[in-house]
Amino acid sequence: MNYPSNPNPNYTDFTEFFKFDDFADSFDMIMEEIGREDHSSSPTLSWTSSEKIVAAEITSPFQTSLATSPMSLEIGDKSHEIKKRKRHKEDPIIQAFRTKSPEKDALDDGYKWRKYGKKPITGTPYPRHYHKCSDPDCKVKKKIERDTSDPDYVWTTYEGIHNHPSPSVVYCESDDFDLTSHNNWCFQTNTYGFSHSAPN
DNA sequence: CGACTTTGACCGGCGC
DNA sequence: GCGCCGGTCAAAGTCG
């Protein structure tokens, strides 16, 4: 079973529910909400899609939540890099997000991560950081590195989908609730982040 | 004292 | 085959 993440458990004041039919539609919904909230820094998102990665440019913290949501969209900007590596046998979904973050490298996506490595990368002054999900039974990894063309941005690359809820996961129940379909996941959000109140 | 980070060593894939 | 490089391991250090 796949679970969505709660990107920003620090925010608990939410105003809206979203029920995702698919990723693109849900993102449009959120953008509409943000527009109505007169968000000071209007978020932008750009997708490129070819093989096995989602690449998105995100400028609002809560958008990182979507990174580990259970969806099977496929690849983007970083495909050239991923192709160089041998794929794992389970062929995980890989998603890369570019996020404006001048100060912090790691973004709060609601999950707990254990850092297990840091490597200098040829051709860039910025190291790459390696993290595993802290849950011992969860195989999800993420890599974080600064964008060489614009150091104000960080690339966060997720491999795999969590098999457990986030410590701050949010979902809603309904009569036709079906845990096997991510269409039934609901997210609560305010302008900036998702809340982590328990479902009723 | 447990959980997490740091960091050098190690390993394997890939290109030459 | 060899060396480079990205990814992972694991011991030591750090922090709450």
Coordinates of all heavy atoms in Angstrom, one line a residue, chain A residues 85 116 119 122 128 130 132 141 143, chain C residues 4-12:
Chain A
R85 N 22.6 5.0 -14.2 CA 22.7 4.0 -13.1 C 21.9 2.8 -13.5 O 20.9 2.8 -14.2 CB 22.1 4.6 -11.9 CG 22.8 5.9 -11.4 CD 22.5 6.1 -9.9 NE 21.1 5.8 -9.6 CZ 20.2 6.7 -9.6 NH1 20.5 7.9 -9.9 NH2 19.0 6.4 -9.2
Y116 N 22.9 9.1 5.1 CA 23.8 8.0 5.1 C 25.0 8.3 4.2 O 25.9 7.5 4.1 CB 23.2 6.7 4.8 CG 22.7 6.6 3.3 CD1 23.5 6.2 2.3 CD2 21.4 7.1 3.0 CE1 23.1 6.1 1.0 CE2 21.0 7.0 1.7 CZ 21.8 6.5 0.7 OH 21.3 6.4 -0.6
K119 N 28.6 13.2 -1.0 CA 29.6 13.0 -1.9 C 29.8 14.3 -2.7 O 28.9 14.9 -3.2 CB 29.3 11.9 -2.9 CG 29.3 10.5 -2.3 CD 30.8 10.1 -2.0 CE 31.6 9.8 -3.3 NZ 32.9 9.2 -2.9
T122 N 31.4 15.7 -9.4 CA 32.3 16.4 -10.4 C 31.6 17.4 -11.2 O 30.4 17.2 -11.6 CB 32.9 15.3 -11.4 OG1 31.8 14.6 -11.9 CG2 33.9 14.4 -10.6
R128 N 26.4 16.2 -2.9 CA 25.1 15.6 -3.0 C 24.9 14.9 -1.6 O 25.9 14.2 -1.2 CB 25.0 14.6 -4.1 CG 23.7 13.9 -4.2 CD 23.7 13.0 -5.5 NE 23.8 13.8 -6.7 CZ 24.2 13.3 -7.9 NH1 24.6 12.1 -8.0 NH2 24.3 14.1 -8.9
Y130 N 22.8 12.1 0.7 CA 22.0 10.9 0.5 C 21.2 10.6 1.8 O 21.8 10.6 2.9 CB 22.9 9.7 0.2 CG 23.7 9.9 -1.1 CD1 25.0 10.5 -1.0 CD2 23.2 9.4 -2.3 CE1 25.7 10.7 -2.2 CE2 23.9 9.6 -3.4 CZ 25.2 10.2 -3.4 OH 25.9 10.4 -4.6
K132 N 18.0 8.0 3.6 CA 17.0 6.9 3.6 C 15.9 7.2 4.6 O 16.1 7.9 5.6 CB 17.7 5.6 4.1 CG 18.7 5.0 3.1 CD 19.3 3.7 3.8 CE 20.3 3.1 2.8 NZ 21.0 2.0 3.5
K141 N 14.4 6.3 -0.7 CA 15.6 7.2 -0.6 C 15.4 8.5 -1.2 O 14.5 8.7 -2.1 CB 16.8 6.5 -1.3 CG 17.2 5.2 -0.8 CD 18.3 4.6 -1.7 CE 18.5 3.1 -1.3 NZ 19.4 2.5 -2.3
K143 N 17.8 12.0 -2.6 CA 19.1 12.7 -2.7 C 18.8 14.2 -2.9 O 17.8 14.6 -3.4 CB 19.8 12.2 -4.0 CG 20.3 10.8 -3.9 CD 20.9 10.3 -5.1 CE 19.8 10.0 -6.2 NZ 20.4 9.2 -7.3
Chain C
dC4 P 42.1 7.7 -11.8 OP1 43.1 8.8 -12.1 OP2 42.1 7.1 -10.5 O5' 40.7 8.3 -12.1 C5' 40.2 8.5 -13.4 C4' 38.7 8.6 -13.5 O4' 38.2 7.3 -13.3 C3' 38.1 9.4 -12.4 O3' 37.1 10.3 -12.9 C2' 37.5 8.4 -11.4 C1' 37.1 7.3 -12.4 N1 37.1 5.9 -11.8 C2 36.0 5.1 -12.0 O2 35.0 5.5 -12.6 N3 36.0 3.9 -11.4 C4 37.0 3.4 -10.7 N4 37.0 2.2 -10.2 C5 38.2 4.2 -10.5 C6 38.2 5.5 -11.0
dC5 P 36.6 11.5 -12.1 OP1 36.4 12.6 -13.1 OP2 37.4 11.7 -10.9 O5' 35.2 11.0 -11.7 C5' 34.3 10.5 -12.6 C4' 33.1 9.8 -11.9 O4' 33.6 8.5 -11.4 C3' 32.6 10.6 -10.7 O3' 31.2 10.7 -10.8 C2' 33.0 9.7 -9.5 C1' 33.0 8.3 -10.2 N1 33.8 7.3 -9.5 C2 33.4 6.0 -9.3 O2 32.3 5.7 -9.8 N3 34.1 5.0 -8.7 C4 35.3 5.4 -8.2 N4 36.1 4.5 -7.6 C5 35.8 6.7 -8.4 C6 35.1 7.6 -9.0
dG6 P 30.4 11.7 -10.0 OP1 30.0 12.8 -10.9 OP2 31.2 12.1 -8.8 O5' 29.2 10.9 -9.5 C5' 28.5 10.1 -10.5 C4' 27.8 8.9 -9.8 O4' 28.8 8.0 -9.3 C3' 26.9 9.3 -8.6 O3' 25.7 8.6 -8.7 C2' 27.8 9.0 -7.4 C1' 28.5 7.8 -7.9 N9 29.9 7.5 -7.3 C8 30.8 8.5 -7.1 N7 31.9 8.0 -6.5 C5 31.6 6.7 -6.4 C6 32.4 5.6 -5.8 O6 33.6 5.7 -5.4 N1 31.8 4.4 -5.8 C2 30.5 4.2 -6.3 N2 30.0 3.0 -6.3 N3 29.7 5.2 -6.8 C4 30.4 6.4 -6.8
dG7 P 24.5 8.8 -7.7 OP1 23.3 8.6 -8.4 OP2 24.8 10.0 -7.0 O5' 24.7 7.6 -6.6 C5' 24.6 6.3 -7.1 C4' 24.8 5.3 -6.0 O4' 26.3 5.3 -5.7 C3' 24.1 5.5 -4.7 O3' 23.4 4.3 -4.3 C2' 25.2 6.0 -3.7 C1' 26.4 5.2 -4.3 N9 27.7 5.8 -3.9 C8 28.1 7.1 -4.1 N7 29.3 7.4 -3.7 C5 29.8 6.2 -3.3 C6 31.0 5.8 -2.8 O6 32.0 6.5 -2.6 N1 31.1 4.4 -2.4 C2 30.0 3.6 -2.6 N2 30.3 2.3 -2.2 N3 28.9 3.9 -3.1 C4 28.8 5.2 -3.4
dT8 P 22.6 4.2 -2.9 OP1 21.5 3.3 -3.2 OP2 22.3 5.6 -2.4 O5' 23.6 3.5 -1.9 C5' 24.1 2.2 -2.2 C4' 25.0 1.8 -1.2 O4' 26.2 2.6 -1.2 C3' 24.5 1.8 0.3 O3' 24.6 0.5 0.8 C2' 25.4 2.8 1.0 C1' 26.6 2.8 0.2 N1 27.5 4.0 0.2 C2 28.8 4.0 0.6 O2 29.3 2.9 1.0 N3 29.5 5.1 0.6 C4 29.0 6.4 0.2 O4 29.7 7.4 0.2 C5 27.6 6.4 -0.3 C7 27.0 7.6 -0.7 C6 26.9 5.2 -0.2
dC9 P 24.0 0.1 2.2 OP1 23.4 -1.2 2.1 OP2 23.3 1.3 2.8 O5' 25.4 0.0 3.0 C5' 26.5 -0.7 2.5 C4' 27.7 -0.7 3.4 O4' 28.3 0.6 3.2 C3' 27.4 -0.9 4.8 O3' 28.3 -1.8 5.4 C2' 27.5 0.6 5.4 C1' 28.6 1.2 4.5 N1 28.5 2.6 4.3 C2 29.7 3.4 4.4 O2 30.7 2.9 4.7 N3 29.6 4.7 4.2 C4 28.5 5.3 3.9 N4 28.4 6.6 3.7 C5 27.3 4.5 3.7 C6 27.3 3.2 4.0
dA10 P 28.0 -2.6 6.7 OP1 28.6 -3.9 6.5 OP2 26.6 -2.4 7.1 O5' 28.9 -1.8 7.8 C5' 30.3 -1.5 7.5 C4' 30.8 -0.5 8.4 O4' 30.5 0.8 8.0 C3' 30.3 -0.6 9.9 O3' 31.3 -0.3 10.8 C2' 29.2 0.5 9.9 C1' 29.9 1.6 9.1 N9 29.1 2.6 8.5 C8 27.8 2.5 8.2 N7 27.3 3.6 7.7 C5 28.4 4.5 7.6 C6 28.5 5.8 7.2 N6 27.5 6.5 6.7 N1 29.7 6.3 7.3 C2 30.7 5.6 7.8 N3 30.7 4.4 8.2 C4 29.5 3.9 8.1
dA11 P 31.5 -1.2 12.1 OP1 32.0 -2.5 11.7 OP2 30.2 -1.0 12.9 O5' 32.6 -0.4 12.8 C5' 33.8 0.1 12.1 C4' 34.2 1.5 12.5 O4' 33.3 2.4 11.8 C3' 34.1 1.7 14.0 O3' 35.2 2.5 14.4 C2' 32.8 2.5 14.1 C1' 32.8 3.3 12.8 N9 31.4 3.7 12.4 C8 30.3 2.9 12.4 N7 29.2 3.5 11.9 C5 29.7 4.8 11.6 C6 29.1 5.9 11.0 N6 27.8 5.9 10.6 N1 29.8 6.9 10.7 C2 31.1 6.9 11.0 N3 31.8 5.9 11.5 C4 31.1 4.9 11.8
dA12 P 35.6 2.8 15.9 OP1 37.0 2.4 16.1 OP2 34.5 2.2 16.7 O5' 35.5 4.4 16.0 C5' 36.1 5.2 15.0 C4' 35.5 6.6 15.0 O4' 34.2 6.6 14.5 C3' 35.4 7.1 16.4 O3' 36.0 8.4 16.4 C2' 33.9 7.2 16.7 C1' 33.3 7.3 15.3 N9 32.0 6.8 15.1 C8 31.5 5.6 15.5 N7 30.2 5.5 15.2 C5 29.9 6.6 14.6 C6 28.7 7.1 14.0 N6 27.5 6.4 14.0 N1 28.6 8.3 13.5 C2 29.8 9.0 13.5 N3 31.0 8.7 14.0 C4 30.9 7.5 14.5

